[in-house]
């Protein structure tokens, strides 16, 4: 009997005690889905205070720096509850083993999910899983307050298993289900915040994002699968500099420099320059204040001798920007812009004009209204991407990643930015009520118009000399001076100058209802149902498909 009582006591302790609900130390990096990011944004909206929190992942010390700019006395009753919980998490460190200055922690998250959809003609509306993997085991080690190592091994489904129509759960139980490439969240970090400024640097694998949005960032989204990245930040109350070096694959590197200023507490603006290089690593792209465009790098990499036709080879220049404005309490207006090609007037020669302008943007409005300890929430966001955004003359120069699965024959593809890729226009709107960390209910509508340009464009056949001809400029160069020269030119011109959807557009409509309930501080359950109806499905004129998807999760967290 005593043994049974002890077992029951241990089980009760594990299930209901608030262990590991605090941060480990100042240099810990928090994943983008962590609730602290939402709390910081909500509190800033109540205070009309814009912080440099547009990028994730961030360290605890940087989040503390921005948190300390929030005026607690000016918050609503709802805001004060959030403030207290955030303060507890950020400043009350906890760990399983404390041998100061060394600290060690290990956690566990179990998340069982079930899925159903009424038609095989509609795709799943999640990537890998609805909420999380089946089981995750975070392991953290801290050396003083300034250095942290963490890795999150998990048991979860691979792309192959999660995208099959016969996908009923996130538990990998069939051949090809198990994800071999893990962990996805793993890093080493050094960080600190001082009197009026701070700095941090960390190396991670993937999950980085630039821009706080509802339907993915057009600039750099956390769905972009990479081998590794290094993120350096220097920040103060009014200025922030970030450098991001991403290894997309063994010889594909992406260098980004971002400068953000906050001229007033209610407004910030950010400018970003990037260079994607399909060649060995080079240190010249690390210079913070060098305008990388001045290197004219698109002319320097021609090991396959195809520069003469492509015009540019093994390189992609990238320019982006964003703004965030909070003109009134609990109201946020934001916008993002990205481009990898924009022909200047002097470049619009007879053939130069065949290089398509490749750009995209987002605009959104978000509202929170404090009410009885929680918030009424609403938002509207629109996104546009031109037909050739992220796409260059050949796949090697384009802003995407393709990897294989080590256990089954499968290709996993991801764009650097919007998960919808190029050639799209979308609008999402939603409203609901949330009592943070207690319960939430949301109703949403999503519309997406998608042209035919996508990953399939890279599967097009090369010509007899090995040139890709999907790009308008290259298409004409490979067909000029023939009897049908003008006809080929007109085709290339029409494709290059078209800034709307290409081919037969597909029109996706979705109505969603989602809810979440926290049974305890450790137990939570979520459910979502989506009704989808699609016109011109699969880009087939007149084809209509529709169906319902349902997903449910039950999570237990000990972190």
């Amino acid at each position: 009997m005593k043994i049974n009582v002890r077992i029951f006591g241990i089980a009760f302790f594990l299930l209901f005690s608030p262990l590991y609900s605090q941060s480990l130390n100042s240099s810990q990096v928090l994943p983008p889905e962590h609730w602290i990011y939402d709390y910081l944004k909500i509190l800033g909206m109540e205070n009309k205070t814009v912080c440099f929190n547009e990028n994730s992942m961030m360290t605890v010390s940087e989040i503390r720096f921005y948190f300390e700019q929030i005026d607690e006395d000016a918050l609503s009753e709802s805001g004060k509850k959030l403030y207290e919980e955030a303060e507890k998490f950020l400043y009350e460190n906890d760990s399983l083993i404390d041998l100061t200055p060394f600290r060690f922690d290990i956690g566990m998250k179990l998340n069982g999910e079930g899925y159903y959809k009424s038609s095989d003609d509609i795709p799943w509306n999640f990537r890998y899983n609805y909420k999380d993997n089946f089981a995750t085991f975070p392991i953290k080690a801290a050396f003083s307050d300034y250095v942290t190592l963490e890795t999150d091994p998990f048991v979860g489904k691979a792309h192959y298993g999660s995208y099959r129509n016969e996908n009923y759960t996130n538990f990998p139980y069939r051949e090809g289900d198990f994800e071999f490439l893990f962990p996805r969240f793993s890093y080493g970090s050094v960080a600190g915040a001082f009197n009026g400024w701070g700095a941090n640097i960390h190396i991670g694998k993937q999950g980085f994002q630039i821009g706080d949005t509802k339907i993915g960032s057009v600039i750099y989204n956390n769905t972009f699968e990479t081998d590794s990245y290094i993120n350096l930040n220097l920040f103060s109350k009014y200025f922030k500099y970030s450098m991001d070096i991403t290894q997309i694959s063994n010889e594909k590197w992406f260098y980004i420099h971002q400068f953000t200023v906050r001229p007033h507490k209610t407004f910030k603006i950010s400018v970003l320059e990037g260079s994607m290089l399909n060649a060995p690593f080079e240190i010249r792209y690390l210079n913070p204040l060098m305008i990388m465009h001045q290197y004219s790098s698109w002319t320097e990499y021609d090991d396959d001798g195809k520069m003469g036709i492509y015009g540019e080879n093994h390189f992609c220049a990238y320019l982006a920007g964003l703004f965030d404005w909070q003109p009134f309490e609990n109201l946020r207006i934001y916008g993002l812009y990205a481009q990898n090609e924009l022909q200047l007037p002097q470049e619009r020669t007879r053939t130069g004009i065949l290089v398509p302008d490749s750009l995209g943007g987002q605009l959104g409005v978000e509202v929170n209204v404090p009410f009885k300890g929680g918030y009424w929430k609403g938002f509207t966001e629109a996104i546009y991407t031109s037909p050739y955004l992220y796409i260059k003359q050949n796949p090697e120069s384009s802003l995407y990643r393709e990897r294989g699965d080590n256990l089954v024959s499968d290709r996993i593809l991801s764009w650097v930015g919007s998960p919808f890729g190029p050639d799209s226009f979308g609008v999402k709107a939603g409203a609901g009520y949330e009592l943070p960390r207690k319960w939430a209910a949301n109703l949403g509508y999503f519309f997406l118009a998608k042209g035919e340009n996508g990953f399939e464009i890279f599967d097009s056949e090369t010509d007899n000399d090995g040139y890709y001809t999907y790009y308008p400029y290259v298409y004409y160069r490979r067909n000029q001076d023939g009897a049908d020269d003008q006809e080929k030119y007109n085709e290339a011109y029409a494709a290059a100058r078209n800034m709307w959807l290409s081919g037969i557009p597909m029109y996706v409509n979705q109505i969603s209802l989602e809810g979440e309930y926290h049974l305890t501080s450790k137990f939570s359950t979520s459910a979502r149902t989506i009704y989808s109806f699609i016109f011109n499905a699969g880009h087939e004129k007149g084809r209509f498909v529709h169906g319902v998807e349902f997903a449910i999760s039950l999570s237990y967290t000990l972190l």
Side-chain angles (χ1 to χ4, degrees), residues 266-284:
T266 63
F267 181 78
K268 69 180 175 187
I269 188 169
S270 184
V271 177
L272 174 156
E273 185 188 14
S275 293
M276 195 290 296
L277 178 64
N278 180 220
F281 182 82
E282 294 192 28
I283 66 171
R284 61 174 172 168

Side-chain angles (χ1 to χ4, degrees), residues 136-415:
T136 306
F137 306 94
I139 302 170
K140 310 167 193 172
F143 300 84
S144 77
D145 201 38
Y146 303 107
V147 180
T148 303
L149 307 178
E150 179 176 355
T151 186
D152 287 11
F154 67 85
V155 176
K157 269 193 174 178
H159 177 272
Y160 179 80
S162 63
Y163 270 64
R164 288 193 286 196
N165 285 318
E166 303 80 16
N167 180 27
Y168 305 113
T169 175
N170 66 338
F171 179 71
Y173 65 93
R174 294 179 299 193
E175 183 180 359
D177 274 0
F178 188 79
E179 176 59 83
F180 177 82
L181 186 62
F182 71 88
R184 294 194 186 104
F185 182 68
S186 181
Y187 69 86
S189 171
V190 178
F194 312 100
N195 185 22
W197 71 284
N200 57 67
I201 184 170
H202 78 273
I203 180 170
K205 187 185 182 301
Q206 65 185 54
F208 183 71
Q209 178 159 324
I210 298 175
D212 181 5
T213 66
K214 300 296 184 181
I215 49 179
S217 168
V218 73
I219 299 174
Y220 193 118
N221 198 52
N222 58 24
T223 52
F224 188 39
E225 299 197 13
T226 59
D227 281 346
S228 188
Y229 72 88
I230 295 176
N231 174 236
L232 168 69
N233 297 286
L234 302 171
F235 54 91
S236 68
K237 288 185 178 181
Y238 306 104
F239 175 82
K240 180 178 179 179
Y241 165 75
S242 298
M243 178 174 66
D244 307 299
I245 308 163
T246 301
Q247 184 174 7
I248 302 172
S249 58
N250 62 331
E251 282 199 355
K252 203 169 186 179
W253 299 83
F254 196 20
Y255 309 84
I256 297 174
H257 298 279
Q258 182 180 2
F259 297 88
T260 308
V261 296
R262 188 180 73 161
H264 189 268
K265 64 175 277 188
T266 63
F267 181 78
K268 69 180 175 187
I269 188 169
S270 184
V271 177
L272 174 156
E273 185 188 14
S275 293
M276 195 290 296
L277 178 64
N278 180 220
F281 182 82
E282 294 192 28
I283 66 171
R284 61 174 172 168
Y285 297 106
L286 307 186
N287 190 333
L289 296 178
M290 179 63 196
I291 301 174
M292 292 185 289
H293 198 74
Q294 304 308 102
Y295 288 133
S296 300
S297 301
W298 55 89
T299 67
E300 296 186 341
Y301 304 97
D302 191 31
D303 57 340
D304 52 11
K306 295 180 178 178
M307 180 78 73
I309 296 297
Y310 284 146
E312 302 179 11
N313 207 5
H314 298 289
F315 181 84
C316 180
Y318 199 54
L319 183 67
L322 61 86
F323 77 87
D324 205 319
W325 183 35
Q326 296 179 10
F328 306 106
E329 291 180 4
N330 299 303
L331 173 66
R332 173 179 175 244
I333 301 171
Y334 57 94
L336 296 82
Y337 172 82
Q339 70 170 60
N340 57 272
E341 191 66 63
L342 186 64
Q343 292 295 89
L344 299 175
Q346 64 270 24
E347 296 175 311
R348 294 175 182 262
T349 61
R350 186 175 187 273
T351 54
I353 204 168
L354 301 181
V355 176
D357 293 333
S358 307
L359 50 88
Q362 280 175 274
L363 189 63
V365 178
E366 186 175 2
V367 178
N368 293 329
V369 179
F371 182 75
K372 293 187 177 180
Y375 292 87
W376 287 102
K377 294 186 172 186
F379 72 90
T380 300
E381 182 175 301
I383 185 170
Y384 162 77
T385 58
S386 69
Y388 288 91
L389 180 63
Y390 315 132
I391 295 175
K392 294 291 287 182
Q393 285 86 335
N394 54 37
E396 294 82 6
S397 305
S398 300
L399 293 167
Y400 85 112
R401 163 77 185 271
E402 175 181 340
R403 71 172 178 88
D405 191 303
N406 285 2
L407 300 182
V408 295
S409 178
D410 189 23
R411 298 166 65 210
I412 298 93
L413 302 155
S414 56
W415 298 105

Side-chain angles (χ1 to χ4, degrees), residues 107 147 185 204 288 325 450 460 503 531 536 558:
V147 180
F185 182 68
W325 183 35
K450 182 74 177 78
S460 59
Y531 173 60
N536 295 345
L558 182 65

